[in-house]
């Protein structure tokens, strides 16, 4: 903190005089992917565990520290975004975190509501190693967390609010069998990188067997994806028993699904149209109007998968097939990201760009 006369400027490697250390020494930081099976936030998220009691106040309450960053993050040093309104969605004109990197801290959960919210206005995220966007090793340092309050739809610094300081906090959320799906040499030759989030940007190396597409199959562990399906297939049950399905990349311009099937559904599979009819399937390719089913969740034809969305509501624009994206940074202003909630709402990794 630098002070000149009556002007105070925050941000830098020195703890401001009005900040107190946030006592997180010994607190393990986990990936959202590990917090709940198959859960995924709209952006990569490292957080305190759900078993963590309050860090600074009543031990019967719960505090939540989160490190969040864009899905296109790279190895290196990244300044934390100082705008608190980029960190926490207001669901009016912002629906996901749009910070390139941010730290938030919410204190004292009571009746499903946190009593106080803090957002970093200065600091750094350093990524040492990146296995996938959701499996990184890094640290945050010189983090200045300022208490924020809502003023309408906008977050503002609280008058006489509390300030917390994190000198340094290291995390490592890489998994021993972790991998980046759809990349060369992601796993040993006798294994396959199975996507574990709906957008297909995070994965684990799994073993397989001899069962072919459409055949009945068995999972080695109900909490994993190793099975007796051939590599490149996923053993999954959509209501009629487990069978092997072809894995596909929802971010690919050529996902390679057979006629009558579509790449998607939250499990990166080539799924029969009839299985997706409840949510709607339209043949429009990305960028073209959805004429048959304007509200379809699935479109793209044989090319890149997307969904049908009317970007101006009751305005003159037609519903159009919009592609899925994997990071908020793929959306150019004035557009922002929305997300589709898969797997009972716990997987929100599938984004698209729209005008709020």
């Amino acid at each position: 903190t630098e002070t000149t006369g009556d002007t105070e400027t925050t941000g830098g490697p020195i703890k401001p005089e009005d900040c107190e250390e946030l006592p997180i020494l010994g607190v393990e930081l986990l990936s959202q992917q590990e917090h709940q099976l198959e859960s995924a936030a709209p952006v990569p998220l490292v957080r305190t565990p759900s078993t963590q009691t309050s860090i600074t106040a009543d031990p019967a309450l719960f505090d939540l520290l989160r490190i969040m960053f864009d899905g296109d993050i790279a190895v290196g040093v990244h300044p934390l975004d100082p705008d608190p309104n980029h960190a926490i969605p207001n669901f009016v004109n912002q629906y996901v975190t749009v910070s390139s990197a941010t730290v938030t801290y919410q204190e004292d959960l009571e009746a499903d509501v946190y009593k106080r919210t803090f957002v970093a206005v200065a600091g750094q995220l350093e990524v040492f190693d990146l296995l996938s966007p959701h499996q990184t090793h890094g640290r945050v340092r010189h983090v200045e967390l300022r208490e924020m309050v809502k003023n309408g739809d906008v977050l503002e610094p609280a008058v006489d609010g509390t300030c917390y300081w994190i000198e340094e906090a290291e995390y490592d959320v890489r998994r021993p069998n972790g991998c980046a799906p759809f990349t060369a040499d992601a796993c040993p030759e006798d294994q396959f990188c199975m996507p574990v989030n709906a957008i297909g940007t995070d994965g684990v190396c799994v073993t397989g067997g001899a069962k072919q597409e459409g055949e009945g199959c068995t999972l080695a562990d109900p909490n994993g994806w190793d099975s007796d399906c051939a590599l490149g297939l996923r053993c999954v049950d959509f209501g009629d028993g487990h069978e092997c399905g072809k894995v596909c990349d929802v971010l690919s311009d050529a996902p390679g699904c057979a006629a009558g099937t579509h790449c998607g559904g939250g499990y990166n599979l080539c799924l029969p149209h009839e299985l997706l009819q409840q949510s709607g399937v339209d043949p429009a390719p990305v960028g073209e109007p959805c004429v048959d089913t304007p509200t379809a969740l699935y479109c793209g034809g044989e090319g890149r998968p997307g969904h049908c969305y009317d970007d101006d509501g009751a305005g003159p624009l037609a519903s159009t097939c919009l592609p899925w994206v994997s990071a908020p940074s793929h959306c150019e202003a004035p557009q922002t990201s929305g997300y589709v909630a898969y797997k009972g709402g716990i997987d929100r990794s599938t984004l698209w760009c729209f005008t709020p």
Side-chain angles (χ1 to χ4, degrees):
T1 301
E2 297 178 358
T3 303
T4 304
D6 296 328
T7 303
E8 184 180 77
T9 303
T10 62
I14 306 301
K15 180 170 73 71
E17 291 183 1
D18 66 330
C19 292
E20 57 183 285
E21 291 275 355
L22 189 66
I24 60 171
L25 185 65
V27 174
E28 183 182 13
L29 299 175
L30 305 174
S31 168
Q32 174 73 12
Q33 312 293 67
E34 296 172 299
H35 168 61
Q36 186 177 13
L37 178 65
E38 290 197 273
S39 67
V43 298
L45 193 162
V46 179
R47 54 165 289 167
T48 46
S50 58
T51 54
Q52 177 68 39
T53 53
S54 180
I55 295 174
T56 61
D58 187 341
L61 300 175
F62 175 65
D63 298 339
L64 178 63
L65 177 70
R66 299 188 298 173
I67 304 168
M68 297 177 284
F69 41 90
D70 188 78
D72 270 350
I73 198 84
V75 170
V77 178
H78 307 272
L80 300 182
D81 186 339
D83 189 336
N85 293 287
H86 291 171
I88 299 178
N90 58 19
F91 297 99
V92 175
N93 59 1
Q94 183 189 317
Y95 293 83
V96 305
T97 299
V98 296
S99 298
S100 55
T102 188
V103 177
T104 65
Y105 174 62
Q106 292 166 289
E107 190 172 80
D108 293 350
L109 180 66
E110 192 172 68
D112 295 324
V113 176
Y114 288 99
K115 292 182 178 180
R116 295 200 296 175
T117 295
F118 301 79
V119 179
V121 297
Q124 291 180 335
L125 165 68
E126 182 175 8
V127 179
F128 306 134
D129 185 49
L130 189 151
L131 191 57
S132 80
H134 295 271
Q135 298 187 64
T136 60
H137 176 206
R139 65 180 174 184
V140 290
R141 57 189 175 192
H142 311 147
V143 180
E144 183 181 340
L145 289 158
R146 292 283 171 179
E147 186 174 359
M148 299 291 165
V149 293
K150 269 289 189 73
N151 182 3
D153 299 324
V154 177
L155 281 174
E156 297 178 345
V159 177
D160 298 324
T162 299
C163 174
Y164 287 121
W165 176 263
I166 301 174
E167 181 64 29
E168 183 175 305
E170 186 171 343
Y171 70 89
D172 188 349
V173 295
R174 296 169 296 178
R175 301 193 288 279
N177 61 338
C179 57
F182 313 113
T183 59
D185 302 320
C187 296
E189 287 187 7
D190 60 345
Q191 296 181 23
F192 172 71
C193 186
M194 185 70 71
V196 295
N197 62 341
I199 200 63
T201 57
D202 188 41
V204 292
C205 293
V206 301
T207 58
K211 296 289 184 66
Q212 298 301 306
E213 185 176 0
E215 291 189 67
C217 57
T218 302
L219 290 168
D221 181 338
N223 294 315
W225 289 110
D226 297 270
S227 74
D228 53 1
C229 292
L231 296 181
L233 304 180
R234 187 194 297 272
C235 182
V236 66
D237 180 7
F238 286 110
D240 296 322
H242 283 79
E243 67 176 54
C244 301
K246 182 181 179 181
V247 174
C248 58
D249 183 359
V250 297
L251 296 175
S252 172
D253 292 334
C257 292
T261 66
H262 181 84
C263 182
Y267 281 96
N268 320 92
L269 288 177
C270 295
L271 298 172
H273 284 180
E274 55 266 25
L275 189 63
L276 305 175
Q277 283 299 340
Q278 185 174 352
S279 299
V281 181
D282 193 280
V286 164
E288 297 296 323
C290 294
V291 177
D292 293 359
T293 311
T295 59
L297 181 58
Y298 304 103
C299 64
E302 296 179 357
R304 180 164 177 162
H307 80 136
C308 298
Y309 186 75
D310 187 347
D311 205 27
D312 67 343
L317 297 178
S319 177
T320 303
C321 183
L322 302 179
W324 302 122
V325 298
S326 59
S329 59
H330 294 175
C331 303
E332 297 182 3
Q335 289 197 319
T336 187
S337 297
Y339 65 82
V340 174
Y342 283 119
K343 303 171 187 174
I346 63 172
D347 189 319
R348 296 172 290 147
S349 65
T350 305
L351 308 179
W352 86 97
C353 301
F354 72 100
T355 306

